[in-house]
Amino acid sequence: MKIASWNVNSLKVRLPQLTEWAAEAKPDVIALQETKLEDAKFPVDELAAAGYRAVYSGQKTYNGVAILAREEPADVVTDIPGLDDPQRRILAATVGSVRLVDLYVVNGKAVGDEKYAYKLDWLAKVRDFLEEEHKRHPHLVVLGDFNIAPDDRDVYDPVAWGEDVLCSPPERDALKAITALGLHDSFRLFEQDGGHFSWWDYRQAAFRRNMGLRIDLILVGDALKQAVKAAAIDRTPRRWERPSDHTPVTLDLDI
DNA sequence: ATGGTAGGGCACCTA
């Protein structure tokens, strides 16, 4: 099973790129973030024509998550205990033997901002939800836009970035509290070097200069670790005309 | 410290 995650930054704009990329990369499952579409406007028919069933939790203008799969995703969850949140950022579903949790983690704006406090609270509640999900479903995959660079290798200029939002110790600790549940950053099972990023700001020709961060992650539960064949970042769509600021990340599982 | 770009939607907000 090949699983992908992509923050498309507007599914309406990126739909042609999504179908083109999927036809080439052939993932069995794709988790999307920042669809920015209310559910009534989700492109169900276009994605069915591309061979994918879809479940989604969207809203107008902001946020929005979706899971596409060759077969209909089951046991869908869009809201978690303790988080009464109108922002559509979480989607859990089961595809085959794998339980997927798609996350669009709060950006946080800046350390100390009220959005930053919301981010830390949100992450703590998601951790508790993931603990329960992992107990219930050992074949757990947690993926999405985490809006946290796990460590300095995941930052193009860690000195300049310092302890700003996306890199601050409380955020990294919140991510560690999630990986401590027995969830492994699949990319780091294969690659130890820095310089591998999944997001580049639209400004300052950041992609051309590889001024990026690795903030899009696919975490796998202990029980799935031995089934992981490959994990990668596919920068191809970031080179296309009118790209998302994020590029897809992928995981190959031998199941 | 600021602003650069992009998307949504039409004045700014979010990233």
Side-chain angles (χ1 to χ4, degrees):
Chain A
M1 181 184 279
K2 182 171 181 178
I3 297 172
S5 174
W6 193 2
N7 179 326
V8 290
N9 187 18
S10 169
L11 183 53
K12 184 182 171 185
V13 172
R14 235 63 70 186
L15 182 59
Q17 296 189 16
L18 174 62
T19 54
E20 182 174 350
W21 180 75
E24 182 66 30
K26 299 181 178 62
D28 300 292
V29 178
I30 312 174
L32 302 176
Q33 304 86 36
E34 280 204 270
T35 56
K36 298 185 177 179
L37 282 179
E38 49 196 332
D39 291 348
K41 294 186 176 171
F42 198 87
V44 175
D45 295 341
E46 292 89 338
L47 290 166
Y52 292 95
R53 310 282 191 94
V55 294
Y56 36 90
S57 179
Q59 67 183 90
K60 203 174 178 178
T61 311
Y62 302 118
N63 310 314
V65 282
I67 296 174
L68 316 180
R70 298 295 184 187
E71 57 184 281
E72 182 78 18
D75 300 320
V76 177
V77 171
T78 61
D79 291 274
I80 68 172
L83 200 60
D84 182 15
D85 189 357
Q87 300 192 22
R88 301 292 80 196
R89 296 178 173 277
I90 301 175
L91 184 62
T94 300
V95 176
S97 65
V98 176
R99 183 64 169 171
L100 299 143
V101 181
D102 180 15
L103 300 178
Y104 174 45
V105 174
V106 177
N107 174 286
K109 189 171 181 178
V111 175
D113 191 275
E114 62 181 22
K115 292 191 177 76
Y116 180 79
Y118 164 58
K119 178 179 197 173
L120 294 180
D121 179 63
W122 190 94
L123 284 163
K125 280 163 179 156
V126 167
R127 192 220 76 96
D128 292 348
F129 171 69
L130 293 175
E131 183 172 31
E132 295 306 310
E133 286 289 292
H134 202 195
K135 278 184 206 159
R136 206 168 296 138
H137 309 280
H139 282 191
L140 181 64
V141 173
V142 182
L143 73 176
D145 176 0
F146 281 72
N147 268 319
I148 302 169
D151 65 56
D152 283 352
R153 294 174 295 173
D154 304 309
V155 181
Y156 72 93
D157 186 347
V159 174
W161 208 276
E163 297 187 351
D164 286 354
V165 73
L166 310 195
C167 297
S168 73
E171 293 168 80
R172 286 176 167 171
D173 289 347
L175 177 58
K176 283 182 196 133
I178 288 172
T179 55
L181 299 170
L183 294 163
H184 306 273
D185 180 353
S186 57
F187 186 79
R188 289 295 176 212
L189 299 177
F190 298 91
E191 178 60 64
Q192 300 312 315
D193 292 344
H196 299 277
F197 309 128
S198 65
W199 169 86
W200 301 262
D201 199 292
Y202 283 122
R203 296 163 286 195
Q204 299 175 309
F207 180 64
R208 183 178 58 72
R209 301 157 74 189
N210 199 29
M211 295 166 61
L213 302 178
R214 192 176 69 89
I215 55 178
D216 298 272
L217 311 177
I218 304 182
L219 312 181
V220 297
D222 284 324
L224 275 177
K225 194 176 172 187
Q226 39 136 33
V228 175
K229 285 192 297 182
I233 301 171
D234 185 353
R235 286 183 298 175
T236 307
R238 192 62 178 78
R239 299 190 187 97
W240 292 344
E241 284 287 317
R242 213 181 171 191
S244 169
D245 46 351
H246 297 252
T247 211
V249 295
T250 62
L251 171 71
D252 279 281
L253 286 177
D254 193 13
I255 55 167

